[in-house]
């Protein structure tokens, strides 16, 4: 029966194994890889904690020894000062009493001599010299030191005023203990907010503590949702001196998927333990500019573009030399492929050419709402910003075909600002801002342009996107800088909700 049992078990195992598809095995492998990474991160964390424990233990032990050494030094100094005071008091009183003793001894000796002389005179039988002798004794007594000597001691033998009682101090020393450490705060994830490129972090203490002086908040960007890893790409940033149990970080650029936060409380003397770190998602639209397909007269560096009349040979050599170090090809960059990274570095023959001074982003949009901004030189002879299909022709200028939508600044003959699509243009009756915000709602087919500072709507295209679109820019005799990592501003979202379902004269170019 044992043999039969083993055969049946083996057949079931084979049957079970045969039912596992390659996709299922890949999922199992992926799960194991994630678990291994998690365990590896935990092992590294424990190792780091052991190293920190050793270093921190040595530090507090040295501090304790230093404090006791300092305390001993103070006590020894006080002891020496008080002993010196007693010695000085004893010496001063000894001198006074010894002086009185010496003077008293001399007076007593002189008095005894006079007494003996007086007794002898009284007992003498000679009467002739008695009167003169008595007179001499009287004069001697009048001038005798014994009658000019103070018989009160100039110094007391009582030294009780220099006695000590250290019973209170002894009790105080016996009550010495380690400093009270503030309790560990807890971050309330449900009350934290991420909005308009700001993050508000809220925390509480297990119980009220009036001795808390301030809090320290640390935050770090990351592309990993789980607990903090030992080897992170970004350092902890520190915010000190927080007096309340919440703090808002403003003006952030969300170029990673998440941010990790931790906080600790501090009293006047010591800081407590950090709270358990929490990770908040920071969704935002990020991209780089595709220098591989940009016009050769455009000098592209990261998100900055400048029109360069000398053109591309030197630029191409520079880019080819630095290509391996480009963020486009780095492992960290590949983790940010969201929403969709377009193929990078198109062959040179696909570069925009002729009068299409165009550069595209490296990230396609095929769903959702997205927002970015651009700062441009208002003295540029021509500038345009918008979106395009990836299939935009290499000779196509933005707005002059059905594959692109934009607003266009022209400074050539006279200054004008127009909305362009499919070779149709509408002049915009608004001031030219320093920064332009671009909003795309792919699912609703909406492309809107805003004054980035005031969030005033400049123009809206309404269409139906049949293909993914991509941020597009054009500049001639000028420069611009794109700003990414931005969330859709609340003012823009509320304005879009108000305008939804209503007709817009700005949308007629579609």
């Amino acid at each position: 029966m044992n043999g039969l049992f083993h055969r049946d078990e083996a057949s079931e195992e084979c049957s079970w194994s045969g039912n596992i598809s390659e996709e299922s095995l890949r999922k199992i492998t992926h799960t194991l890889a994630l678990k291994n990474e998690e365990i590896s991160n935990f092992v590294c964390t424990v190792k780091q904690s052991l190293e920190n424990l050793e270093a921190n233990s040595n530090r507090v032990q040295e501090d304790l020894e230093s404090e006791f050494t300092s305390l001993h030094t103070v006590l020894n100094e006080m002891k020496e000062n008080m002993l010196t005071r007693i010695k000085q008091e004893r010496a001063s009183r000894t001198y006074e009493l010894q002086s009185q003793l010496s003077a008293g001894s001399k007076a007593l000796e002189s008095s005894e001599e006079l007494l003996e002389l007086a007794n002898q005179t009284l007992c003498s039988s000679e009467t002739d010299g008695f009167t003169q002798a008595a007179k001499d004794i009287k004069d001697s007594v009048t001038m005798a030191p014994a009658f000019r000597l103070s018989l009160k001691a100039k110094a007391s033998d009582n030294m009780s005023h220099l006695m000590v009682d250290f019973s209170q101090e002894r009790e105080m020393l016996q009550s010495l203990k380690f400093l009270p450490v503030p309790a560990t705060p807890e971050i309330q994830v449900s009350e934290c907010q991420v909005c308009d490129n700001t993050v508000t972090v809220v925390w509480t203490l297990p119980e009220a503590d009036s001795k808390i002086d301030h809090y320290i908040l640390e935050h770090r960007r990351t592309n990993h949702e789980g607990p903090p890893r030992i080897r992170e790409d970004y350092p902890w940033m520190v915010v000190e001196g927080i007096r309340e149990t919440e703090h808002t970080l403003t003006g952030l650029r969300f170029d990673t998927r998440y941010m990790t936060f931790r906080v600790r409380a501090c009293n006047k003397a010591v800081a407590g333990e950090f709270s358990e770190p929490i990770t908040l998602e920071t969704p935002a639209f990020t991209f780089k500019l595709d220098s591989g397909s940009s016009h050769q007269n455009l000098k592209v560096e990261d998100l900055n573009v400048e029109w360069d009349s000398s053109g591309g040979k030197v630029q191409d050599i520079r880019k080819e030399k630095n290509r391996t170090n480009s963020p486009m090809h780095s492992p960290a960059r590949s983790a940010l492929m969201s929403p969709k990274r377009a193929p990078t570095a198109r062959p040179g023959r696909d570069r925009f050419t002729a009068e299409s001074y165009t550069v595209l982003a490296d990230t396609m949009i095929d769903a959702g709402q997205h927002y970015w901004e651009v700062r441009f030189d208002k003295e540029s002879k021509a500038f345009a910003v918008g979106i395009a299909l990836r299939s935009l022709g290499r000779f196509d200028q933005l707005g002059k075909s059905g594959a692109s939508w934009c607003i266009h600044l022209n400074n050539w003959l006279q200054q004008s600002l127009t909305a362009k699509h499919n070779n149709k243009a509408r002049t915009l009756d608004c001031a030219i801002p320093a920064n332009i915000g671009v909003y795309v709602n792919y699912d609703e087919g909406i492309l809107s342009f805003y004054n980035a500072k005031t969030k005033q709507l400049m123009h809206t295209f309404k269409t139906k996107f049949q293909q993914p679109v991509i941020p597009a820019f054009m500049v001639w005799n000028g420069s611009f800088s794109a700003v990414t990592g931005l969330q859709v501003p609340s003012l823009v979202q509320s304005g879009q909700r108000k305008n939804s379902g209503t007709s817009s004269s700005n949308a007629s170019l579609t």
Side-chain angles (χ1 to χ4, degrees), residues 354-422:
E355 294 184 359
S356 180
Y357 302 110
T358 304
V359 57
L360 301 179
D362 66 348
T363 305
M364 292 186 291
I365 300 172
D366 60 2
Q369 303 178 59
H370 307 281
Y371 179 84
W372 64 96
E373 294 181 355
V374 59
R375 296 189 292 264
F376 59 95
D377 179 6
K378 295 197 332 187
E379 300 301 320
S380 301
K381 292 299 182 183
F383 169 76
V385 58
I387 59 173
L389 305 180
R390 185 67 188 177
S391 59
L392 182 69
R394 60 194 295 246
F395 294 96
D396 291 345
Q397 299 180 35
L398 292 186
K400 290 194 173 184
S401 72
S404 62
W405 300 256
C406 73
I407 58 173
H408 182 274
L409 170 68
N410 186 356
N411 275 327
W412 180 233
L413 296 177
Q414 61 182 5
Q415 190 176 72
S416 64
L417 187 65
T418 56
K420 290 187 175 184
H421 171 63
N422 203 19

Side-chain angles (χ1 to χ4, degrees), residues 180-183 185 205 209-217 240-243 263-274:
V181 179
L205 288 172
D209 186 350
S210 60
K211 295 183 178 180
I212 296 297
D213 181 68
H214 65 277
Y215 298 91
I216 296 176
L217 176 68
E240 297 183 322
I242 302 172
R243 303 294 177 180
V263 65
R264 61 177 172 179
C266 306
N267 55 30
K268 292 289 187 181
V270 67
E273 293 286 342
F274 274 111

Side-chain angles (χ1 to χ4, degrees), residues 96-224:
E96 292 290 344
L97 293 175
Q98 284 183 342
S99 296
Q100 280 191 299
L101 177 61
S102 176
S105 298
K106 291 180 179 179
L108 179 61
E109 182 180 353
S110 174
S111 179
E112 287 176 346
E113 289 177 356
L114 287 175
L115 178 61
E116 184 179 357
L117 179 60
N119 288 330
Q120 289 176 357
T121 301
L122 288 173
C123 294
S124 175
S125 56
E126 297 179 3
T127 58
D128 294 339
F130 177 83
T131 301
Q132 185 60 40
K135 183 177 181 301
D136 292 340
I137 291 173
K138 177 182 177 183
D139 292 340
S140 296
V141 168
T142 302
M143 299 298 296
F147 292 93
R148 292 183 286 108
L149 179 69
S150 173
L151 299 181
K152 182 180 180 181
K154 291 184 177 181
S156 171
D157 59 354
N158 186 357
M159 297 288 283
S160 59
H161 67 291
L162 295 179
M163 295 181 65
V164 295
D165 179 9
F166 289 153
S167 57
Q168 291 184 351
E169 288 78 2
R170 189 177 300 106
E171 290 178 3
M172 183 180 68
L173 289 174
Q174 289 172 344
S175 67
L176 287 178
K177 56 186 177 181
F178 294 107
L179 291 171
V181 179
T184 303
E186 180 180 358
I187 298 178
Q188 303 299 316
V189 181
S190 61
E191 298 183 34
C192 297
Q193 295 183 353
V194 180
C195 181
D196 287 338
N197 285 88
T198 67
V199 178
T200 298
V201 185
V202 181
W203 59 88
T204 58
L205 288 172
E207 57 184 24
D209 186 350
S210 60
K211 295 183 178 180
I212 296 297
D213 181 68
H214 65 277
Y215 298 91
I216 296 176
L217 176 68
E218 294 190 355
H219 59 92
R220 178 164 66 185
R221 296 178 293 164
T222 180
N223 286 306
H224 305 280

Side-chain angles (χ1 to χ4, degrees), residues 42 45 89 239 247 253 255 269 311 327 387 403 442 448 488:
F42 173 73
T45 301
E89 188 81 7
V239 183
H247 185 73
R253 291 288 179 266
D255 53 0
I387 59 173
Y442 184 89
S448 294
V488 180

